């Protein structure tokens, strides 16, 4: 019978792991790029992209301060899209929150919704209103 005291000692097993020097290395730079597509409401003339861009520039907080873009965060507009590029961690949810806040301020929240069209893009879409109900009400 082998008990723990009578068992032969096990040789130390070298497990593959991270080398200690890897922790002190530089972090790789991550560039985040979020897009907000405002094509539908702008083509219909109910929203102005330049106004929305100005709103975001005034409201976006970087490290707890508004108007603190520096070299880390950039906001640019191309036609009907707004692109936010960030070198530091930036929440996509925060961008959605600000977009919804803008829509509410301009009374567009009842008609438009903010939908994620891809992993790093939002799109402003109209709510799908059932046309059948309106036709039934017209018959009465």
């Amino acid at each position: 019978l082998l008990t723990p005291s009578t068992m032969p000692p096990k040789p130390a097993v070298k497990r593959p792991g991270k080398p200690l020097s890897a922790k002190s290395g530089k972090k790789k730079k991550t560039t985040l790029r979020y897009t907000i597509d405002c094509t539908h409401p702008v083509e219909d003339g109910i929203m102005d992209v330049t106004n929305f861009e100005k709103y975001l520039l005034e409201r976006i907080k970087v490290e707890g301060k508004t108007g603190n873009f520096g070299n880390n965060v950039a906001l640019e507009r191309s036609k009907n899209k707004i692109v936010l590029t960030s070198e530091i961690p930036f929440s996509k949810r925060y961008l959605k929150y600000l977009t919804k806040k803008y829509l509410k301020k301009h009374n567009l929240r009842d008609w438009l919704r903010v939908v994620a069209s891809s992993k790093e893009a939002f799109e402003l879409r109209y709510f799908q209103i059932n046309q059948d109900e309106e036709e039934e009400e017209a018959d009465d």
Side-chain angles (χ1 to χ4, degrees):
L1 213 173
L2 293 173
T3 60
S5 58
T6 60
M7 290 173 96
K10 290 184 180 178
V13 178
K14 181 87 172 156
R15 291 195 175 95
K18 293 180 190 170
L20 295 174
S21 61
K23 283 187 178 178
S24 62
K26 291 181 184 174
K27 287 184 178 178
K28 62 173 185 161
K29 267 206 167 180
T30 56
T31 305
L32 298 169
R33 191 177 159 93
Y34 298 122
T35 311
I36 305 173
D37 186 1
C38 310
T39 309
H40 298 295
V42 171
E43 285 176 351
D44 293 342
I46 63 168
M47 191 178 141
D48 184 23
V49 188
T50 51
N51 192 8
F52 180 43
E53 182 189 25
K54 184 175 170 246
Y55 177 87
L56 288 176
L57 279 168
E58 291 169 359
R59 295 293 196 296
I60 289 177
K61 285 186 177 182
V62 179
E63 294 169 0
K65 297 177 189 142
T66 55
N68 183 23
F69 276 57
N71 299 330
N72 297 326
V73 182
L75 194 71
E76 57 211 41
R77 175 175 43 92
S78 57
K79 293 183 183 174
N80 297 332
K81 290 185 180 182
I82 290 180
V83 179
L84 182 126
T85 313
S86 175
E87 299 291 329
I88 56 174
F90 194 91
S91 171
K92 182 180 174 188
R93 193 162 197 66
Y94 179 55
L95 204 57
K96 182 175 184 177
Y97 159 76
L98 287 172
T99 306
K100 288 164 83 168
K101 203 169 171 176
Y102 173 84
L103 293 175
K104 185 70 179 169
K105 184 180 174 188
H106 290 81
N107 299 322
L108 298 172
R109 192 84 172 81
D110 295 337
W111 292 280
L112 293 171
R113 55 186 251 174
V114 186
V115 181
S117 54
S118 75
K119 195 168 181 179
E120 55 269 327
F122 285 119
E123 187 181 349
L124 296 182
R125 287 189 192 162
Y126 289 102
F127 283 111
Q128 295 298 318
I129 301 163
N130 294 340
Q131 300 296 324
D132 302 333
E133 291 177 17
E134 293 174 14
E135 289 171 10
E136 288 173 13
E137 289 173 13
D139 293 339
D140 291 339

